[in-house]
Coordinates of all heavy atoms in Angstrom, one line a residue:
M1 N 0.8 -1.2 0.0 CA 0.0 0.0 0.0 C 0.9 1.2 0.0 O 1.8 1.4 0.8 CB -0.9 0.0 1.3 CG -1.8 1.1 1.4 SD -3.2 0.6 2.4 CE -3.1 1.8 3.7
P2 N 0.7 2.2 -0.9 CA 1.6 3.4 -1.0 C 1.3 4.3 0.2 O 0.3 4.4 0.8 CB 1.1 4.1 -2.3 CG -0.2 3.5 -2.6 CD -0.3 2.2 -2.0
Q3 N 2.4 4.9 0.6 CA 2.4 5.9 1.8 C 2.2 7.3 1.2 O 2.7 7.6 0.2 CB 3.6 5.8 2.6 CG 3.8 4.5 3.4 CD 5.0 4.6 4.3 OE1 6.0 5.2 4.0 NE2 5.0 3.8 5.4
T4 N 1.5 8.1 2.0 CA 1.3 9.5 1.7 C 1.9 10.3 2.8 O 1.7 10.0 4.0 CB -0.2 9.9 1.6 OG1 -0.8 9.0 0.6 CG2 -0.4 11.3 1.3
T5 N 2.7 11.3 2.5 CA 3.3 12.2 3.4 C 2.5 13.5 3.5 O 2.3 14.1 2.4 CB 4.8 12.5 3.1 OG1 5.5 11.3 3.0 CG2 5.4 13.4 4.1
V6 N 2.1 13.9 4.7 CA 1.3 15.1 4.9 C 2.1 15.9 5.9 O 2.6 15.3 6.9 CB -0.1 14.8 5.4 CG1 -0.9 16.0 5.7 CG2 -0.8 13.9 4.3
G7 N 2.1 17.2 5.8 CA 2.8 18.0 6.8 C 1.8 19.0 7.4 O 0.8 19.5 6.7
W8 N 2.0 19.4 8.6 CA 1.3 20.5 9.3 C 2.2 21.6 9.6 O 3.4 21.3 10.0 CB 0.6 20.0 10.5 CG -0.5 19.0 10.4 CD1 -1.1 18.5 9.3 CD2 -1.1 18.3 11.5 NE1 -2.1 17.6 9.6 CE2 -2.1 17.5 10.9 CE3 -1.0 18.4 12.9 CZ2 -3.0 16.7 11.7 CZ3 -1.8 17.6 13.6 CH2 -2.8 16.8 13.1
H9 N 1.8 22.8 9.5 CA 2.6 23.9 9.9 C 2.1 24.4 11.2 O 0.9 24.7 11.4 CB 2.4 25.1 8.8 CG 3.3 26.2 9.1 ND1 4.6 26.3 8.8 CD2 3.0 27.4 9.7 CE1 5.1 27.4 9.2 NE2 4.2 28.1 9.8
V10 N 3.0 24.4 12.2 CA 2.7 24.8 13.6 C 3.4 26.1 13.9 O 4.6 26.2 13.7 CB 3.0 23.7 14.6 CG1 2.7 24.1 16.0 CG2 2.3 22.4 14.3
E11 N 2.7 27.0 14.5 CA 3.4 28.3 14.9 C 3.1 28.5 16.4 O 2.1 28.2 16.9 CB 2.8 29.5 14.2 CG 3.0 29.5 12.7 CD 2.4 30.7 12.0 OE1 2.0 31.7 12.7 OE2 2.2 30.6 10.8
L12 N 4.2 29.0 17.1 CA 4.1 29.4 18.5 C 4.5 30.8 18.6 O 5.6 31.2 18.1 CB 4.9 28.5 19.4 CG 4.4 27.2 19.9 CD1 5.4 26.4 20.6 CD2 3.2 27.5 20.8
E13 N 3.7 31.6 19.3 CA 4.1 33.0 19.5 C 3.9 33.4 20.9 O 3.0 32.9 21.6 CB 3.1 33.9 18.6 CG 3.4 35.4 18.7 CD 2.5 36.2 17.8 OE1 2.7 36.2 16.6 OE2 1.5 36.7 18.3
F14 N 4.9 34.1 21.5 CA 5.0 34.4 22.9 C 4.8 35.9 23.1 O 5.4 36.7 22.4 CB 6.3 33.9 23.5 CG 6.5 32.4 23.3 CD1 7.2 31.9 22.3 CD2 5.9 31.6 24.3 CE1 7.4 30.6 22.2 CE2 6.1 30.2 24.1 CZ 6.8 29.7 23.1
T15 N 4.1 36.2 24.2 CA 4.0 37.6 24.7 C 4.5 37.6 26.1 O 4.0 36.8 26.9 CB 2.6 38.1 24.7 OG1 2.0 38.0 23.4 CG2 2.5 39.5 25.1
E16 N 5.5 38.4 26.4 CA 6.2 38.3 27.7 C 6.1 39.7 28.4 O 6.2 40.7 27.8 CB 7.7 38.0 27.5 CG 7.8 36.6 26.9 CD 9.3 36.1 26.9 OE1 10.0 36.4 27.9 OE2 9.6 35.5 25.9
A17 N 5.8 39.6 29.7 CA 5.8 40.7 30.6 C 6.8 40.3 31.7 O 7.3 39.2 31.8 CB 4.4 40.9 31.2
P18 N 7.1 41.2 32.7 CA 8.1 40.9 33.7 C 7.9 39.6 34.4 O 8.8 38.8 34.7 CB 8.1 42.1 34.6 CG 7.7 43.2 33.7 CD 6.7 42.6 32.8
R19 N 6.6 39.3 34.8 CA 6.4 38.0 35.5 C 5.4 37.1 34.9 O 5.0 36.1 35.5 CB 5.8 38.4 36.9 CG 6.9 39.0 37.8 CD 6.5 39.3 39.3 NE 5.7 38.2 39.8 CZ 4.6 38.4 40.5 NH1 4.2 39.6 40.8 NH2 3.9 37.4 41.0
H20 N 5.0 37.4 33.6 CA 4.0 36.5 33.0 C 4.4 36.3 31.5 O 4.9 37.2 30.8 CB 2.6 37.2 33.0 CG 2.1 37.5 34.3 ND1 1.6 36.5 35.2 CD2 2.1 38.7 35.0 CE1 1.3 37.1 36.3 NE2 1.6 38.4 36.3
T21 N 4.2 35.1 31.0 CA 4.4 34.7 29.6 C 3.1 34.1 29.1 O 2.5 33.2 29.8 CB 5.6 33.7 29.5 OG1 6.7 34.3 30.1 CG2 5.8 33.4 28.0
R22 N 2.7 34.5 28.0 CA 1.5 33.9 27.3 C 2.0 33.3 26.0 O 2.9 33.9 25.3 CB 0.5 35.0 27.0 CG -0.1 35.6 28.3 CD -1.3 36.4 28.0 NE -1.8 37.1 29.2 CZ -2.3 36.6 30.3 NH1 -2.5 35.3 30.4 NH2 -2.7 37.3 31.3
A23 N 1.4 32.2 25.6 CA 1.7 31.6 24.3 C 0.5 31.3 23.5 O -0.6 31.0 24.1 CB 2.4 30.2 24.6
A24 N 0.6 31.5 22.2 CA -0.5 31.2 21.3 C 0.0 30.2 20.3 O 1.1 30.4 19.7 CB -1.0 32.4 20.6
A25 N -0.6 29.1 20.2 CA -0.2 28.0 19.2 C -1.3 27.9 18.1 O -2.5 28.1 18.4 CB -0.1 26.7 19.9
L26 N -0.8 27.7 16.9 CA -1.6 27.6 15.8 C -1.1 26.5 14.9 O 0.1 26.4 14.6 CB -1.6 28.9 14.9 CG -2.2 28.9 13.5 CD1 -3.7 28.7 13.6 CD2 -1.8 30.1 12.8
V27 N -2.0 25.6 14.5 CA -1.7 24.5 13.5 C -2.6 24.7 12.3 O -3.8 24.9 12.4 CB -1.7 23.1 14.1 CG1 -3.1 22.7 14.5 CG2 -1.2 22.1 13.1
R28 N -1.9 24.7 11.1 CA -2.7 24.7 9.9 C -2.7 23.3 9.3 O -1.6 22.7 9.1 CB -2.0 25.6 8.9 CG -2.2 27.1 9.2 CD -1.6 28.0 8.2 NE -1.8 29.4 8.6 CZ -0.8 30.0 9.2 NH1 0.4 29.5 9.4 NH2 -1.0 31.3 9.6
L29 N -3.9 22.7 9.2 CA -4.0 21.3 8.7 C -4.0 21.3 7.2 O -4.2 22.3 6.5 CB -5.3 20.8 9.3 CG -5.4 20.8 10.8 CD1 -6.8 20.3 11.3 CD2 -4.3 20.0 11.4
A30 N -3.8 20.1 6.7 CA -3.7 19.9 5.2 C -5.0 20.3 4.5 O -4.9 20.7 3.3 CB -3.4 18.4 5.0
D31 N -6.1 20.3 5.1 CA -7.4 20.7 4.5 C -7.6 22.2 4.5 O -8.6 22.8 4.1 CB -8.6 20.0 5.1 CG -8.9 20.4 6.5 OD1 -8.1 21.3 7.1 OD2 -9.8 19.9 7.1
G32 N -6.6 23.0 5.1 CA -6.7 24.4 5.2 C -7.3 25.0 6.5 O -7.3 26.2 6.7
S33 N -7.9 24.1 7.3 CA -8.4 24.5 8.5 C -7.3 24.8 9.5 O -6.2 24.4 9.4 CB -9.4 23.5 9.1 OG -8.8 22.3 9.4
E34 N -7.7 25.6 10.6 CA -6.7 26.0 11.6 C -7.3 25.6 13.0 O -8.5 25.7 13.2 CB -6.4 27.5 11.6 CG -5.8 27.9 10.3 CD -5.5 29.4 10.3 OE1 -6.0 30.1 11.1 OE2 -4.7 29.9 9.4
V35 N -6.4 25.2 13.9 CA -6.8 25.0 15.3 C -5.8 25.8 16.1 O -4.6 25.8 15.8 CB -6.7 23.5 15.6 CG1 -7.1 23.2 17.1 CG2 -7.6 22.7 14.7
R36 N -6.4 26.4 17.2 CA -5.6 27.3 18.0 C -5.6 26.8 19.5 O -6.6 26.3 19.9 CB -6.1 28.7 17.9 CG -6.0 29.3 16.6 CD -6.6 30.7 16.5 NE -6.7 31.1 15.1 CZ -5.7 31.9 14.5 NH1 -4.7 32.2 15.2 NH2 -5.8 32.2 13.2
G37 N -4.5 27.1 20.2 CA -4.5 26.8 21.6 C -3.7 27.9 22.3 O -2.9 28.6 21.7
H38 N -4.0 28.1 23.6 CA -3.3 29.2 24.4 C -2.8 28.6 25.7 O -3.4 27.6 26.2 CB -4.3 30.3 24.7 CG -4.8 31.0 23.4 ND1 -5.9 30.5 22.7 CD2 -4.3 32.0 22.7 CE1 -6.0 31.3 21.6 NE2 -5.1 32.2 21.6
G39 N -1.8 29.2 26.2 CA -1.2 28.8 27.5 C -0.5 30.0 28.1 O -0.3 31.0 27.5
A40 N -0.3 29.9 29.4 CA 0.3 30.9 30.2 C 1.2 30.4 31.3 O 1.0 29.2 31.7 CB -0.8 31.8 30.8
A41 N 2.1 31.2 31.7 CA 3.0 30.9 32.8 C 3.2 32.1 33.6 O 3.3 33.2 33.1 CB 4.3 30.3 32.3
S42 N 3.4 32.0 34.9 CA 3.7 33.1 35.8 C 4.9 32.8 36.7 O 5.1 31.6 37.0 CB 2.5 33.3 36.8 OG 1.3 33.7 36.0
R43 N 5.7 33.8 37.0 CA 6.9 33.7 37.8 C 6.6 34.3 39.2 O 6.1 35.4 39.3 CB 8.0 34.4 37.1 CG 9.3 34.3 37.9 CD 10.5 34.9 37.1 NE 10.3 36.3 36.8 CZ 10.6 37.3 37.6 NH1 11.1 37.1 38.8 NH2 10.4 38.6 37.2
A44 N 6.9 33.6 40.2 CA 6.8 34.1 41.6 C 7.9 35.2 41.8 O 9.0 35.1 41.2 CB 7.0 33.0 42.6
P45 N 7.6 36.2 42.6 CA 8.6 37.2 42.8 C 9.9 36.7 43.3 O 11.0 37.4 43.0 CB 7.9 38.2 43.8 CG 6.5 37.9 43.8 CD 6.4 36.4 43.3
V46 N 10.0 35.6 44.0 CA 11.2 35.1 44.5 C 12.0 34.3 43.5 O 13.2 34.0 43.8 CB 11.0 34.3 45.8 CG1 10.4 35.2 46.9 CG2 10.1 33.1 45.6
D47 N 11.4 33.9 42.4 CA 12.0 33.1 41.4 C 13.0 34.0 40.5 O 12.7 35.1 40.3 CB 11.0 32.4 40.5 CG 10.2 31.3 41.2 OD1 10.7 30.9 42.3 OD2 9.2 31.0 40.7
A48 N 14.0 33.3 40.0 CA 14.9 34.0 39.1 C 14.2 34.3 37.8 O 13.3 33.6 37.4 CB 16.1 33.1 38.8
N49 N 14.6 35.4 37.1 CA 14.0 35.8 35.8 C 14.6 34.9 34.8 O 15.8 35.0 34.4 CB 14.3 37.2 35.6 CG 13.6 37.7 34.3 OD1 12.7 37.0 33.8 ND2 13.9 38.9 33.8
Q50 N 13.8 33.9 34.3 CA 14.3 33.0 33.3 C 13.2 32.9 32.1 O 12.3 32.0 32.1 CB 14.4 31.6 33.8 CG 15.6 31.5 34.9 CD 15.6 30.0 35.4 OE1 14.8 29.6 36.2 NE2 16.7 29.3 35.0
P51 N 13.2 33.9 31.2 CA 12.2 34.0 30.2 C 12.0 32.7 29.4 O 10.9 32.3 29.0 CB 12.7 35.1 29.3 CG 13.6 35.9 30.1 CD 14.2 35.0 31.1
R52 N 13.1 32.0 29.1 CA 13.1 30.7 28.4 C 12.2 29.7 29.1 O 11.4 29.0 28.4 CB 14.5 30.1 28.1 CG 14.4 28.9 27.3 CD 15.9 28.3 27.0 NE 16.6 28.2 28.2 CZ 16.5 27.2 29.1 NH1 15.7 26.2 28.9 NH2 17.3 27.2 30.2
V53 N 12.3 29.6 30.4 CA 11.5 28.7 31.2 C 10.0 29.0 31.1 O 9.2 28.2 30.9 CB 12.0 28.6 32.6 CG1 11.0 27.7 33.5 CG2 13.4 28.1 32.7
G54 N 9.7 30.3 31.2 CA 8.3 30.8 31.0 C 7.8 30.4 29.6 O 6.6 30.0 29.5
E55 N 8.6 30.6 28.6 CA 8.2 30.2 27.3 C 7.9 28.7 27.2 O 7.0 28.3 26.5 CB 9.2 30.6 26.2 CG 9.4 32.1 26.0 CD 10.5 32.5 25.2 OE1 11.3 31.6 24.7 OE2 10.8 33.7 25.0
E56 N 8.8 27.9 27.8 CA 8.6 26.4 27.7 C 7.3 26.0 28.4 O 6.6 25.2 27.9 CB 9.8 25.7 28.3 CG 11.1 25.9 27.5 CD 12.3 25.4 28.3 OE1 12.2 25.1 29.5 OE2 13.4 25.4 27.6
I57 N 7.0 26.6 29.5 CA 5.8 26.2 30.3 C 4.6 26.7 29.5 O 3.6 26.0 29.3 CB 5.8 26.8 31.7 CG1 7.0 26.1 32.5 CG2 4.5 26.6 32.4 CD1 7.3 26.8 33.8
A58 N 4.6 28.0 29.1 CA 3.4 28.5 28.4 C 3.2 27.8 27.1 O 2.1 27.5 26.7 CB 3.6 30.0 28.2
G59 N 4.3 27.5 26.4 CA 4.3 26.8 25.1 C 3.7 25.4 25.3 O 2.9 25.0 24.5
A60 N 4.2 24.7 26.3 CA 3.7 23.4 26.5 C 2.2 23.4 26.8 O 1.4 22.5 26.3 CB 4.4 22.7 27.7
R61 N 1.7 24.4 27.6 CA 0.3 24.5 27.9 C -0.5 24.8 26.6 O -1.6 24.3 26.5 CB 0.1 25.5 29.0 CG 0.6 25.0 30.3 CD 0.5 26.0 31.4 NE 0.9 25.4 32.7 CZ 1.3 26.1 33.8 NH1 1.3 27.4 33.7 NH2 1.6 25.4 34.9
A62 N 0.0 25.7 25.8 CA -0.7 26.0 24.5 C -0.7 24.8 23.6 O -1.8 24.5 23.0 CB 0.0 27.1 23.8
L63 N 0.3 24.0 23.5 CA 0.4 22.8 22.7 C -0.6 21.7 23.3 O -1.2 21.0 22.5 CB 1.8 22.3 22.5 CG 2.7 23.2 21.7 CD1 4.1 22.7 21.8 CD2 2.3 23.2 20.2
N64 N -0.6 21.6 24.6 CA -1.6 20.7 25.2 C -3.0 21.0 24.9 O -3.8 20.1 24.6 CB -1.3 20.7 26.8 CG -2.1 19.6 27.4 OD1 -2.0 18.5 27.1 ND2 -2.9 20.0 28.4
E65 N -3.4 22.3 24.9 CA -4.7 22.7 24.6 C -4.9 22.4 23.1 O -6.0 22.0 22.7 CB -4.9 24.2 24.9 CG -6.3 24.7 24.5 CD -6.6 26.1 24.8 OE1 -6.1 26.6 25.8 OE2 -7.3 26.7 24.0
L66 N -3.9 22.7 22.3 CA -4.0 22.4 20.8 C -4.3 20.9 20.6 O -5.2 20.5 19.8 CB -2.7 22.9 20.2 CG -2.7 22.9 18.6 CD1 -3.6 23.9 18.1 CD2 -1.3 23.1 18.2
A67 N -3.6 20.1 21.3 CA -3.7 18.6 21.2 C -5.1 18.2 21.6 O -5.8 17.4 20.9 CB -2.7 17.9 22.0
T68 N -5.7 18.8 22.7 CA -7.0 18.4 23.1 C -8.0 18.9 22.1 O -9.0 18.1 21.8 CB -7.3 19.1 24.5 OG1 -6.4 18.6 25.4 CG2 -8.7 18.9 24.9
K69 N -7.9 20.0 21.5 CA -8.8 20.5 20.5 C -8.7 19.6 19.2 O -9.8 19.4 18.6 CB -8.5 22.0 20.1 CG -9.0 22.9 21.2 CD -8.8 24.4 20.8 CE -9.3 25.3 21.9 NZ -9.2 26.7 21.5
L70 N -7.5 19.2 18.8 CA -7.4 18.3 17.7 C -8.1 17.0 17.9 O -8.8 16.4 17.0 CB -6.0 18.1 17.3 CG -5.2 19.2 16.7 CD1 -3.7 19.0 16.7 CD2 -5.7 19.4 15.2
L71 N -8.0 16.4 19.2 CA -8.7 15.2 19.5 C -10.2 15.4 19.4 O -11.0 14.6 18.9 CB -8.3 14.7 20.9 CG -6.9 14.1 20.9 CD1 -6.5 13.8 22.4 CD2 -6.9 12.8 20.1
E72 N -10.7 16.6 19.9 CA -12.2 16.9 19.9 C -12.6 17.0 18.5 O -13.7 16.5 18.1 CB -12.4 18.1 20.7 CG -12.3 18.0 22.2 CD -12.3 19.3 22.9 OE1 -12.4 20.4 22.3 OE2 -12.2 19.3 24.2
K73 N -11.8 17.6 17.6 CA -12.2 17.8 16.2 C -12.3 16.4 15.5 O -13.2 16.1 14.8 CB -11.1 18.6 15.5 CG -11.4 18.9 14.1 CD -10.2 19.8 13.5 CE -10.4 20.3 12.1 NZ -10.6 19.2 11.1
A74 N -11.3 15.6 15.8 CA -11.3 14.2 15.2 C -12.5 13.4 15.7 O -13.1 12.7 14.9 CB -10.0 13.5 15.5
H75 N -12.8 13.5 17.0 CA -13.9 12.8 17.6 C -15.2 13.2 16.8 O -16.0 12.4 16.5 CB -14.0 13.1 19.0 CG -15.1 12.4 19.8 ND1 -15.2 11.1 19.9 CD2 -16.2 12.9 20.4 CE1 -16.3 10.8 20.6 NE2 -16.9 11.9 20.9
G76 N -15.4 14.5 16.7 CA -16.6 15.0 16.0 C -16.7 14.5 14.5 O -17.8 14.2 14.0
E77 N -15.5 14.5 13.9 CA -15.5 14.0 12.5 C -15.8 12.5 12.4 O -16.5 12.0 11.5 CB -14.2 14.3 11.8 CG -14.0 15.8 11.6 CD -12.6 16.2 11.2 OE1 -11.7 15.3 11.0 OE2 -12.3 17.4 11.0
I78 N -15.3 11.7 13.4 CA -15.6 10.3 13.4 C -17.1 10.1 13.6 O -17.8 9.3 12.9 CB -14.9 9.6 14.5 CG1 -13.4 9.5 14.2 CG2 -15.4 8.2 14.8 CD1 -12.5 9.1 15.4
D79 N -17.7 10.8 14.5 CA -19.2 10.7 14.8 C -20.0 11.1 13.6 O -21.0 10.5 13.2 CB -19.6 11.5 16.0 CG -19.1 10.9 17.3 OD1 -18.5 9.8 17.3 OD2 -19.3 11.6 18.4
A80 N -19.6 12.2 12.9 CA -20.3 12.7 11.7 C -20.3 11.7 10.6 O -21.3 11.5 9.9 CB -19.7 14.0 11.2
V81 N -19.2 11.0 10.4 CA -19.1 10.0 9.3 C -19.8 8.7 9.7 O -20.5 8.1 8.8 CB -17.6 9.8 8.9 CG1 -17.5 8.6 8.0 CG2 -17.0 11.0 8.3
S82 N -19.7 8.3 10.9 CA -20.3 7.0 11.3 C -21.7 7.1 11.6 O -22.5 6.1 11.6 CB -19.5 6.5 12.5 OG -19.8 7.3 13.7
G83 N -22.2 8.3 12.0 CA -23.6 8.5 12.3 C -24.0 8.0 13.7 O -25.1 7.8 14.0
R84 N -23.0 7.8 14.5 CA -23.2 7.4 15.9 C -22.2 8.0 16.8 O -21.2 8.6 16.4 CB -23.1 5.8 16.0 CG -21.8 5.3 15.6 CD -21.7 3.7 15.8 NE -20.5 3.2 15.2 CZ -19.3 3.2 15.9 NH1 -19.3 3.7 17.1 NH2 -18.3 2.7 15.3
A85 N -22.4 7.9 18.1 CA -21.5 8.5 19.1 C -20.4 7.5 19.4 O -20.6 6.3 19.7 CB -22.3 8.8 20.4
S86 N -19.2 7.9 19.2 CA -18.0 7.1 19.4 C -17.5 7.4 20.8 O -17.9 8.3 21.5 CB -17.0 7.3 18.4 OG -16.5 8.7 18.4
H87 N -16.5 6.6 21.2 CA -15.9 6.8 22.5 C -15.0 8.0 22.4 O -14.3 8.2 21.4 CB -15.0 5.6 22.9 CG -15.8 4.4 23.2 ND1 -16.5 4.2 24.3 CD2 -15.9 3.2 22.5 CE1 -17.1 3.0 24.3 NE2 -16.8 2.4 23.2
P88 N -15.0 8.9 23.5 CA -14.2 10.1 23.4 C -12.7 9.7 23.3 O -12.3 8.6 23.8 CB -14.4 10.7 24.8 CG -15.7 10.2 25.3 CD -15.8 8.8 24.7
L89 N -11.9 10.5 22.6 CA -10.5 10.3 22.4 C -9.8 11.1 23.5 O -10.2 12.1 23.9 CB -10.1 10.8 21.0 CG -10.8 10.2 19.8 CD1 -10.5 10.9 18.5 CD2 -10.4 8.7 19.7
H90 N -8.7 10.5 24.0 CA -7.9 11.1 25.0 C -6.4 11.3 24.6 O -6.0 10.5 23.7 CB -7.9 10.2 26.3 CG -9.3 10.1 26.8 ND1 -10.0 11.0 27.5 CD2 -10.2 9.0 26.7 CE1 -11.2 10.6 27.8 NE2 -11.4 9.4 27.3
L91 N -5.7 12.2 25.2 CA -4.3 12.4 24.9 C -3.5 11.1 25.1 O -2.6 10.8 24.3 CB -3.7 13.5 25.7 CG -4.1 14.9 25.3 CD1 -3.6 16.0 26.3 CD2 -3.7 15.2 23.9
N92 N -3.7 10.4 26.2 CA -3.0 9.1 26.4 C -4.0 8.0 26.1 O -5.0 7.9 26.8 CB -2.6 9.1 27.9 CG -1.6 10.2 28.2 OD1 -0.7 10.5 27.4 ND2 -1.7 10.8 29.3
H93 N -3.6 7.2 25.2 CA -4.5 6.0 24.9 C -4.3 4.8 25.7 O -3.4 4.6 26.4 CB -4.4 5.7 23.4 CG -3.0 5.4 23.0 ND1 -2.1 6.4 22.6 CD2 -2.3 4.2 22.8 CE1 -0.9 5.8 22.3 NE2 -1.0 4.5 22.4

């Protein structure tokens, strides 16, 4: 059976303030649709200023939301094609 290679374009954008980092994630799917996720991180006043760590936390949270939304989208598409309610999809199978 021949294989097909499909790519998704994922973007992460960060907005940083002295103690807060926000992340916006966007994936463009092969059909042209887009799914978005958001995440945030906060630094306690006693913590060292490490912007990269804030980006990693906020980015991971945005990607986690993105993953959840992709699973919900797939679940809805499965139900629409099958005409019945399927089992919910989870991040960890």
